[in-house]
Amino acid sequence: MDNTIETQTRVPRDFESLRSTIIERKNAMPKRLAQVAAFALGNPDEVAFGTTASIAAAAEVQPSTLVRLAHHLGYEGFSDLQSIFRERLRDRTLSYEERLVTLEQSGIKDEEAGILSGFLSAASQSINKLAATIETDTFAKSIDVLAAAETIYLIAKRRSYPLTAHMSYAFSKLNIRHQIVASPNGIDGEIARFATERDAAIAASFSPYAADSLAQAQDLASRNVPVIAITDSAFSPLTACATHWFEVAETDFAGFRSLSASMALIMAFPVAIAERRRKGTTKADKTKME
C-alpha cells in the first residue's frame, strides 16, 4: 500500500515534470518506449489532439506501445498520460490578454512590483539551472568548431530570434564573419545553402519548435556543415542533427517565458570564439601541451 501511494505521488501531473521524467529515464527505457516518448515530446500537439491509432501510426509503433509507455511512467492508461499534453495545450494557447487577466486574479497587492519580481525570479532560476547543468567540455568543443569556421550561420525564428540578433551584433564588433538566416523576402533556405563544410551554424529552437529552423539545421547537417544547437530537451528534433547541443530550460512567469539563460549562453559564444582565434589554440592543442 505504501509503495502504491509513493508511486502515485511521483507520477508527473504537468508537462514540464513529465518532460523531465522522460529525459531522466530515457536511457533506461526499452527501445520502443523511448521511440514513442521522443515522438511525444517532439510532437506534443499531435499527442494532445490525436487518437491512440493516429498517434501510434505517426510514431511508427503499435497502439499497445502507447499504453505500455503510460504504465511505465506510472499512469493508469494512455488517456491519463494524454491529459497532461492536453493541459499543456490549454496553458500554451492562453492569449496574452488571458495571461494578463490571470495576473490580475493572482491577488498580488503591489501589482507592478509583483510582476517585476516574478520575471526577475524566473530569470534567476533559469540561469541557476543552466549553471548547474551545463557541460563546460561541450562548450569548449563547440568553440573549437565555431572558431575554425569561415562563416558562422545563425538560425532562429520567432521567440528565439533575439538570440541571433544579439550574436550578430557581437560578431560584428569582434570581426567574426557570420550570416543571419533571416530575410524579409523569404529566401532563408537559399541563404543557408551557401554554407559549406568549412563553415558552421548555431541553431536555436524551443518547443513548439519552428519548422523552418529545424528544416534549415537538418539541411546543413546533411551537407556536413557542423551545427551547434540550443534547445530545451534531449528529445528535441534539433539534437539529432547537431554536432554539439545545449539543453536550456527557461523558467516561465505566469505563462511568459524569457530568454534569460539562453541569452547568457549565447553572449559567451562570440567572446570565447574571438579569444580562441586570438590565441590560435583549440582544446585539443591545450590537451597536447599539458
Side-chain angles (χ1 to χ4, degrees):
M1 185 70 172
D2 292 340
N3 290 338
T4 301
I5 294 174
E6 184 181 357
T7 299
Q8 290 176 343
T9 60
R10 290 201 303 266
V11 175
R13 297 317 312 183
D14 62 82
F15 184 76
E16 287 304 314
S17 297
L18 173 61
R19 185 179 67 85
S20 297
T21 297
I22 290 175
I23 291 172
E24 289 172 3
R25 299 184 188 178
K26 71 184 182 73
N27 291 332
M29 283 185 184
K31 181 179 178 181
R32 287 300 182 190
L33 296 192
Q35 178 180 333
V36 73
F39 174 84
L41 291 190
N43 304 272
D45 290 359
E46 187 163 344
V47 174
F49 284 121
T51 64
T52 303
S54 67
I55 297 167
E60 299 182 346
V61 297
Q62 294 297 318
S64 60
T65 307
L66 302 182
V67 180
R68 286 172 51 214
L69 175 65
H71 290 161
H72 181 80
L73 295 171
Y75 294 95
E76 294 180 2
F78 180 68
S79 60
D80 189 18
L81 172 60
Q82 189 179 40
S83 68
I84 305 301
F85 289 85
R86 290 177 173 171
E87 186 63 34
R88 167 198 171 273
L89 191 63
R90 283 193 289 271
D91 291 342
R92 184 171 66 81
T93 54
L94 281 176
S95 70
Y96 273 67
E97 183 63 30
E98 289 171 322
R99 295 179 193 183
L100 291 175
V101 171
T102 299
L103 274 176
E104 292 171 2
Q105 296 173 344
S106 64
I108 300 174
K109 292 183 179 179
D110 189 340
E111 186 174 337
E112 289 75 16
I115 291 173
L116 176 60
S117 176
F119 278 108
L120 291 175
S121 176
S124 177
Q125 291 177 45
S126 298
I127 292 172
N128 288 337
K129 188 185 302 182
L130 178 62
T133 58
I134 193 167
E135 297 179 356
T136 54
D137 188 57
T138 300
F139 181 75
K141 290 177 180 177
S142 299
I143 297 304
D144 277 346
V145 171
L146 296 168
E150 291 184 359
T151 301
I152 299 173
Y153 287 77
L154 305 177
I155 300 171
K157 314 296 179 188
R158 301 202 302 256
R159 187 174 70 91
S160 305
Y161 180 76
L163 300 177
T164 55
H166 183 81
M167 277 191 288
S168 178
Y169 174 82
F171 282 153
S172 297
K173 290 293 185 180
L174 293 167
N175 296 316
I176 297 172
R177 184 183 296 173
H178 66 284
Q179 173 66 57
I180 292 185
V181 183
S183 59
N185 55 351
I187 57 169
D188 292 11
E190 287 80 355
I191 292 173
R193 290 194 196 108
F194 282 108
T196 72
E197 296 179 20
R198 298 188 301 275
D199 302 316
I202 299 175
S205 189
F206 306 95
S207 179
Y209 308 103
D212 286 347
S213 294
L214 298 180
Q216 289 156 14
Q218 290 163 353
D219 175 64
L220 290 171
S222 71
R223 294 188 289 108
N224 298 319
V225 178
V227 176
I228 307 302
I230 301 170
T231 190
D232 56 0
S233 168
F235 286 119
S236 164
L238 268 184
T239 64
C241 62
T243 307
H244 302 294
W245 60 275
F246 299 88
E247 181 179 354
V248 184
E250 300 281 1
T251 301
D252 74 88
F253 173 63
F256 295 92
R257 284 182 297 169
S258 71
L259 289 169
S260 305
S262 304
M263 189 64 74
L265 174 60
I266 64 95
M267 288 174 69
F269 278 127
V271 177
I273 293 167
E275 185 67 4
R276 181 66 58 81
R277 288 183 174 181
R278 188 178 69 83
K279 291 182 177 179
T281 60
T282 66
K283 186 172 179 60
D285 295 328
K286 292 178 181 178
T287 303
K288 290 178 182 178
M289 287 189 288
E290 293 173 357

